[in-house]
Amino acid sequence: MRIPADVLAALSGRTKTDGHRLTLVGPRLPPALYQRVNEVLEAVGGRWTKAESAHLFSVRAAEALAPVLTTGEVVTPGEKRTLAQYFPTPAPVAGRLIALAALEPGMTVLEPSRRLRCHSHSSSPRRDRGLHRTGPQLRHCPVR
């Protein structure tokens, strides 16, 4: 997303970095502006930590923020999901669906998926009924 001018101004003029820490300096930002600033900081890997009163990064904060300040753009997690059109099914929902399907050994299941490697929807090997996700097309998956 293109970063609005007010957010970019806050990121360039109201931040202080110290290693992996980034703090906002000066008067408190209005809540709506802070929320948009926080969205950008989270998109580049920052996580607010109350104990530190700062956003912490896995890399040096200045290095994480530099491309954003240079380009004025950032790809948010929401944009990544939208671009990929991938919306993962929560494990509890998938587990309930598998239970309701009453799968038995010898049955075959068709499942569309964007995943490239097989894996079971079940979180427990003893509950694994053989329902697998594979490749971007429909696959026949035998139930074990």
Side-chain angles (χ1 to χ4, degrees):
M1 88 174 173
R2 185 88 184 132
I3 300 171
D6 58 344
V7 174
L8 205 50
L11 290 169
S12 61
R14 305 268 315 266
T15 57
K16 177 183 173 195
T17 61
D18 179 19
H20 296 264
R21 299 177 74 234
L22 179 142
T23 53
L24 295 170
V25 295
R28 186 180 183 123
L29 296 174
L33 177 57
Y34 174 78
Q35 185 176 355
R36 292 183 295 141
V37 167
N38 186 57
E39 181 182 14
V40 171
L41 293 174
E42 287 183 348
V44 295
R47 297 290 173 255
W48 173 255
T49 305
K50 188 174 183 177
E52 298 268 344
S53 294
H55 282 81
L56 298 182
F57 293 80
S58 60
V59 298
R60 296 180 61 77
E63 292 171 9
L65 197 56
V68 170
L69 297 175
T70 302
T71 65
E73 295 184 356
V74 69
V75 179
T76 65
E79 288 175 316
K80 288 177 186 175
R81 281 191 299 276
T82 300
L83 291 172
Q85 292 298 300
Y86 172 63
F87 303 94
T89 303
V93 174
R96 177 139 168 80
L97 177 64
I98 291 168
L100 289 171
L103 300 175
E104 298 290 332
M107 291 179 169
T108 300
V109 176
L110 286 176
E111 185 205 5
S113 177
R114 292 183 48 107
R115 294 280 186 205
L116 299 178
R117 62 180 177 85
C118 286
H119 69 279
S120 169
H121 283 283
S122 173
S123 61
S124 164
R126 76 183 152 76
R127 291 182 55 208
D128 183 358
R129 296 264 192 237
L131 182 59
H132 296 278
R133 293 177 162 192
T134 61
Q137 65 272 23
L138 286 174
R139 298 287 180 145
H140 288 272
C141 298
V143 176
R144 292 178 253 145

